[in-house]
């Protein structure tokens, strides 16, 4: 039997953070009250804590490891509570090798193994050569032929589309933290019992906040584009035998190997920026792997051959119109329409009473208007179709994004729901679930499709 390979030394650092949390509070307390004896005592206690945790980390590192033999990878972890995980090669859908800058400096590689029928992956911290050898044993590569490279105009499209999700996430996190810091935990009490203070808060913050909000949006967008550019530098996608390989990056090097036979769905997403660039981002789902943080490649309508080189079963119909007769327009536009009317009303009132904050409300009004247009488009395009090679094509819209999903697996769960209006119109809503936990929802499809869909795959 082969001996266990050791994890990288970074593996032991996961326990150091607990020691830091235990030791930082006494230090902060001693520094705040300027008590030198308490500070010295806290430093001694922290030293003991760090020594104990370091010894524990070393013992854990010595007791942990992995080995690959007989088509199975065995992972050993723990000392007092020993745990052994065995993963057979047929269970694996994808493997990701990720090297942030600090890992590259230390020769480490964060290796993530994704299952075919389980959403939660397994993450290991290995030496880079060991990680590369493990990836070659689990998903070996035979030959390489590049299908997509992020260069020229495609590079710009790929960078902008990759930055969409990053910019949105940063803006949401920053806004949430700023709101929490400004309002505190007692927001309800502050809002209802201190209306005068709320009015002063609005009068003082909004004029200054408008200028800062505009600056913040441009700064965060520039940072997101910079990080996305660095993340997608030298990005290349190829089909290597039965494995789809995507690798690239400048600061953080990433290599993803996806088993082609394990791919369950291909999601082509079209955002407003993608419409201007006439490009769409392509995401592959394989078991528990979704890769939603970065698109696999950029797709241009009419260039289906490029995607079919990755997945020969890929099919997207040229006609985007769905069965409109009998649909209720209200079902598609009520949410975005109501939010748009509310926001545009607030903008009109603020332009009359408080002109300084009208531009601040104009930005969400513009986004909600685009969302309303996307919802109106969904009324005509949202549908379920049968593709070639017994595949299933779904077209639906969510907020600002239109999704065209091609389902490759027959291991699906169909859920049909109706309310009285849909029953009267002989229509229903479809929710399709995949084994890994992914869920897709298409609204207002005809009843006859509900009876035939399970027979398509």
């Amino acid at each position: 039997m082969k001996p266990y390979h050791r994890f990288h030394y970074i593996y032991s650092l996961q326990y150091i953070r607990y020691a830091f949390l235990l030791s930082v509070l006494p230090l902060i307390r001693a520094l705040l009250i300027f008590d030198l004896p308490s500070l010295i005592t806290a430093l001694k206690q922290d030293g003991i804590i760090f020594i104990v945790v370091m010894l524990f980390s070393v013992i854990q590192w010595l007791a942990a490891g992995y080995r690959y033999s007989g088509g199975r990878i065995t992972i050993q972890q723990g000392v007092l509570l020993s745990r052994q995980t065995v993963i057979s090669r047929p269970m694996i859908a994808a493997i990701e090798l990720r090297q942030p800058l600090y890992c590259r400096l230390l020769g480490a590689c964060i290796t993530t193994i994704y299952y075919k029928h389980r959403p939660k992956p397994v993450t290991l911290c290995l030496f880079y050569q060991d990680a590369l050898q493990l990836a070659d044993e689990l998903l070996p590569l035979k030959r390489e032929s590049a299908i997509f490279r992020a260069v020229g105009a495609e590079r710009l499209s790929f960078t902008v589309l990759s930055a969409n999700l990053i910019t949105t996430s940063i803006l949401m996190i920053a806004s949430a933290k700023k709101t929490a810091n400004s309002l505190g935990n007692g927001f309800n009490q502050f809002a209802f019992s201190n209306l005068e203070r709320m009015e002063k808060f609005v009068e003082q913050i909004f004029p200054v906040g408008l200028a800062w909000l505009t600056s913040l949006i441009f700064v965060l967008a520039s940072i997101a584009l910079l990080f996305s550019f660095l993340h997608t530098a030298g990005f290349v996608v190829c089909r290597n035998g039965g494995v789809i390989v995507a690798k690239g990056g400048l600061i953080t090097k990433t290599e993803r190997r996806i088993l082609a036979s394990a791919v369950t769905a291909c999601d082509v997403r079209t955002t407003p920026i993608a419409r201007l660039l006439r490009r769409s981002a392509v995401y592959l789902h394989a078991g528990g792997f979704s890769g939603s943080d970065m698109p696999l490649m950029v797709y241009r309508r009419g260039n289906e051959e490029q995607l079919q080189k990755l997945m020969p079963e890929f099919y997207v119909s040229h006609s985007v119109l769905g069965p409109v007769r009998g649909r209720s327009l209200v079902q598609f536009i009520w949410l975005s329409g109501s939010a748009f009317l509310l926001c545009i009303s607030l903008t009109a009132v603020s332009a009359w009473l408080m002109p300084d904050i009208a531009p601040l409300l104009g930005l969400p009004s513009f986004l909600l208007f685009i969302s309303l247009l996307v919802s109106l488009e969904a009324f005509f395009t949202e549908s379920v179709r049968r593709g070639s090679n017994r595949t299933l094509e779904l077209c639906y819209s969510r907020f600002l994004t239109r999704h065209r999903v091609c389902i490759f697996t027959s291991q699906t769960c169909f859920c049909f729901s109706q309310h009285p209006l849909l029953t009267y119109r002989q229509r229903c809503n479809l929710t399709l679930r995949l084994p890994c936990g992914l869920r897709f929802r298409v609204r207002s499809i005809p009843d006859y499709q509900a009876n035939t869909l399970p027979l398509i795959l």
Side-chain angles (χ1 to χ4, degrees):
M1 184 176 293
K2 292 184 178 180
Y4 281 97
H5 294 276
R6 299 292 183 193
F7 294 146
H8 195 273
Y9 311 117
I10 297 179
Y11 171 82
S12 61
L13 296 181
Q14 59 181 320
Y15 302 101
I16 303 299
R17 57 186 177 183
Y18 301 116
F20 178 78
L21 293 176
L22 291 174
S23 60
V24 70
L25 294 178
L27 284 177
I28 294 177
R29 181 177 178 277
L31 289 174
L32 289 177
I33 63 177
F34 297 101
D35 188 354
L36 184 59
S38 299
L39 179 62
I40 296 175
T41 303
L43 288 175
K44 291 180 180 179
Q45 294 176 353
D46 295 342
I48 296 174
I49 291 174
F50 269 98
I51 291 174
V52 172
V53 173
M54 283 297 296
L55 290 175
F56 178 76
S57 301
V58 171
I59 294 173
Q60 289 283 352
W61 177 76
L62 291 173
Y66 79 97
R67 67 165 173 255
Y68 180 82
S69 62
R72 298 185 304 174
I73 175 174
T74 304
I75 303 170
Q76 179 68 41
Q77 293 174 304
V79 179
L80 298 178
L81 297 176
S82 180
R83 182 178 62 184
Q84 189 177 79
T85 304
V86 180
I87 307 173
S88 61
R89 186 174 168 182
M91 297 171 57
I92 298 173
I95 184 169
E96 180 185 72
L97 308 180
R98 189 166 57 90
Q99 278 191 295
L101 184 59
Y102 71 94
C103 287
R104 294 171 61 187
L105 294 175
L106 298 175
C109 180
I110 300 175
T111 306
T112 306
I113 302 173
Y114 296 90
Y115 294 97
K116 288 182 180 178
H117 304 289
R118 182 180 174 187
K120 187 176 181 181
V122 174
T123 303
L124 307 174
C125 187
L126 309 177
F127 292 93
Y128 178 70
Q129 293 300 327
D130 291 342
L132 196 60
Q133 182 181 0
L134 180 63
D136 290 336
E137 291 174 339
L138 295 177
L139 296 178
L141 305 180
K142 298 179 181 179
R143 55 184 174 81
E144 183 172 327
S145 57
I147 295 177
F148 171 80
R149 291 183 182 272
V151 293
E154 300 293 344
R155 176 62 180 279
L156 175 63
S157 305
F158 192 76
T159 300
V160 173
L161 293 174
S162 302
N164 283 353
L165 182 61
I166 301 175
T167 306
T168 304
S169 302
I170 294 177
L171 284 171
M172 290 180 63
I173 294 173
S175 302
K177 288 186 176 180
K178 183 64 178 177
T179 302
N181 293 334
S182 301
L183 302 180
N185 296 327
F187 173 74
N188 292 332
Q189 182 180 1
F190 179 73
F192 292 102
S193 63
N194 299 289
L195 294 179
E196 184 178 356
R197 293 177 59 188
M198 175 63 76
E199 182 182 2
K200 293 181 180 179
F201 173 83
V202 171
E203 292 176 354
Q204 294 176 3
I205 294 299
F206 267 151
V208 180
L210 177 60
W212 279 106
L213 178 64
T214 307
S215 303
L216 180 65
I217 290 174
F218 280 99
V219 169
L220 291 179
S222 301
I223 294 174
L225 285 173
L226 175 62
F227 275 97
S228 181
F229 180 82
L230 297 176
H231 195 58
T232 59
F235 199 86
V236 60
V237 179
C238 63
R239 174 72 179 257
N240 197 306
V243 179
I244 298 172
V245 183
K247 54 185 176 181
L250 186 62
I251 301 298
T252 300
K253 287 189 173 296
T254 304
E255 179 178 343
R256 291 171 173 174
R257 301 186 184 187
I258 307 167
L259 187 64
S261 60
V263 175
T264 54
C266 177
D267 188 1
V268 180
R269 303 180 187 179
T270 306
T271 61
I273 296 179
R275 295 173 190 268
L276 296 176
L277 296 172
R278 303 182 68 181
R279 301 291 191 277
S280 298
V282 178
Y283 297 81
L284 281 186
H285 304 288
F289 173 80
S290 61
S292 57
D293 59 330
M294 184 176 64
L296 185 73
M297 59 186 295
V298 172
Y299 161 77
R300 184 174 183 176
R301 188 178 178 183
N303 194 17
E304 288 84 2
E305 296 82 5
Q306 191 178 36
L307 275 174
Q308 288 173 350
K309 291 180 181 178
L310 284 179
M311 292 297 301
E313 301 87 359
F314 176 79
Y315 173 83
V316 173
S317 59
H318 296 284
S319 175
V320 296
L321 296 179
V324 179
R325 185 177 180 181
R327 275 187 172 172
S328 172
L329 181 62
V330 177
Q331 181 184 9
F332 288 83
I333 67 171
W334 73 271
L335 182 58
S336 57
S338 301
F340 173 70
L341 290 177
L342 176 62
C343 201
I344 202 68
S345 302
L346 293 176
T347 304
V349 172
S350 64
W352 178 38
L353 298 178
M354 304 174 66
D356 291 335
I357 69 170
L360 184 65
L361 296 174
L363 178 62
S365 300
F366 178 71
L367 293 177
L368 289 172
F369 177 70
I370 297 177
S371 176
L372 178 61
L373 293 180
V374 173
S375 300
L376 184 60
E377 180 193 44
F379 173 76
F380 296 98
T381 60
E382 197 151 317
S383 60
V384 180
R385 294 186 179 93
R386 179 177 180 175
S388 62
N389 299 327
R390 298 183 67 83
T391 59
L392 193 65
E393 181 189 355
L394 311 179
C395 183
Y396 65 95
S397 298
R398 291 294 178 270
F399 190 42
L400 299 176
T401 305
R402 186 182 70 182
H403 299 257
R404 301 190 73 179
V405 184
C406 190
I407 306 295
F408 302 113
T409 179
S410 59
Q411 299 177 0
T412 56
C413 174
F414 295 93
C415 179
F416 303 99
S417 60
Q418 287 180 311
H419 52 73
L421 180 60
L422 286 178
T423 304
Y424 173 75
R425 295 176 179 268
Q426 296 183 351
R427 287 182 170 269
C428 62
N429 296 328
L430 164 67
T431 302
L432 186 144
R433 293 184 176 89
L434 298 181
C436 61
L438 283 175
R439 184 176 64 177
F440 307 101
R441 183 172 180 265
V442 182
R443 294 165 292 182
S444 190
I445 66 171
D447 278 344
Y448 68 85
Q449 286 192 338
N451 298 324
T452 57
L453 277 179
L455 302 177
I456 291 179
L457 293 176

